[in-house]
Amino acid sequence: MFFPSGTHKDHGLAFNPLKAIISPRPIGWISSIGADGVHNLAPYSFFNAISESPPMVAFSGSPGAQGDKDSIKNIEETGDFVVNIVSSHLMDAMNITSASLPRDVSEFDQAKLTATPSRFVSSPHVGESPCYLECRLWQILDLPQAANGEHGRLVIGEVLGIGIDDAIITPEGQLDVTKYQPAARLGYKDYAIIDKVFELDRPNP
Ligand SMILES: Cc1cc2nc3c(=O)[nH]c(=O)nc-3n(C[C@H](O)[C@H](O)[C@H](O)COP(=O)(O)O)c2cc1C
């Protein structure tokens, strides 16, 4: 099968397969704070690390009914955000924070999570998260207009500080992902949990 993107329904596919094809995707659980001091927390799977040096991450938000997502409005106002990692035991809480709530309601409260002060940025981080990245906004790029007239926005940030739960660090000084089992997003309503890993040596290390 091959088709021009956007015409999947003419080819027997019930949904756009893009997110199923590009899976698994890490979930950036983005915490932020508005100029009014209200905390915000929401998952974004159009998310990844984009550079190691300097350490940079990016995520994109498609507009909701009220225009830009609250996370993006907050980040524009304050210039920072935190990426929290979703471990298997935080899946339900993560899902609760994906609800569209009024801007003056904090998803931290809805999901009964602890908004913990960060060191280098004004945005709080998720106290229950096994690791988190404190980020300073570098740039927000407007993505091209889609067929429905909307355009998403790509938020790019520089990682200023890294928080890790000491319990997930091995005696050799590595993170043991099997201890915190990060969640990944697949297509449709599907998720995966990373609970097994294997090593592979590169041919020319
Ligand atoms: C696992 C998961 C991943 C998501 N990824 C994205 C994404 O990459 N971009 C996006 O615009 N919305 C995404 N959403 C939907 C947002 O989380 C949702 O619209 C949320 O209400 C946005 O919150 P905010 O307005 O407080 O920022 C995702 C939802 C879930 C459950």
Side-chain angles (χ1 to χ4, degrees), residues 40 42-46 60-62 69-71 98-99 107 185 191:
N40 195 90
Y44 285 84
S45 68
F46 285 116
S60 81
S62 53
K69 297 269 165 90
D70 291 345
S71 305
S98 73
E107 290 84 359
R185 190 79 166 98
Y191 290 87

Side-chain angles (χ1 to χ4, degrees), residues 26-98:
I27 299 173
W29 204 10
I30 307 296
S31 49
S32 59
I33 184 170
D36 57 4
V38 177
H39 298 150
N40 195 90
L41 180 63
Y44 285 84
S45 68
F46 285 116
F47 160 77
N48 221 312
I50 57 167
S51 154
E52 189 170 19
S53 180
M56 309 281 293
V57 295
F59 73 92
S60 81
S62 53
Q66 269 82 46
D68 278 344
K69 297 269 165 90
D70 291 345
S71 305
I72 296 182
K73 288 180 185 155
N74 286 351
I75 294 166
E76 273 190 315
E77 286 177 6
T78 62
D80 67 59
F81 61 97
V82 178
V83 174
N84 303 273
I85 296 307
V86 180
S87 51
S88 52
H89 77 285
L90 292 169
M91 284 296 294
D92 289 340
M94 178 281 294
N95 201 27
I96 290 170
T97 66
S98 73

Side-chain angles (χ1 to χ4, degrees), residues 83-179:
V83 174
N84 303 273
I85 296 307
V86 180
S87 51
S88 52
H89 77 285
L90 292 169
M91 284 296 294
D92 289 340
M94 178 281 294
N95 201 27
I96 290 170
T97 66
S98 73
S100 301
L101 297 174
R103 200 162 170 215
D104 58 354
V105 177
S106 168
E107 290 84 359
F108 278 94
D109 299 336
Q110 297 293 309
K112 299 190 171 39
L113 293 164
T114 317
T116 307
S118 299
R119 308 264 177 108
F120 294 158
V121 299
S122 64
S123 300
H125 62 271
V126 177
E128 292 78 1
S129 188
C131 23
Y132 60 92
L133 311 172
E134 297 186 3
C135 302
R136 177 172 57 206
L137 173 64
W138 180 62
Q139 223 169 299
I140 299 183
L141 300 180
D142 290 340
L143 299 176
Q145 201 172 53
N148 65 3
E150 295 179 342
H151 68 84
R153 305 188 79 197
L154 181 71
V155 178
I156 307 173
E158 181 174 357
V159 179
L160 301 183
I162 299 178
I164 305 173
D165 178 355
D166 293 341
I168 66 169
I169 301 175
T170 66
E172 296 76 36
Q174 294 186 328
L175 263 67
D176 181 351
V177 293
T178 64
K179 283 215 168 96

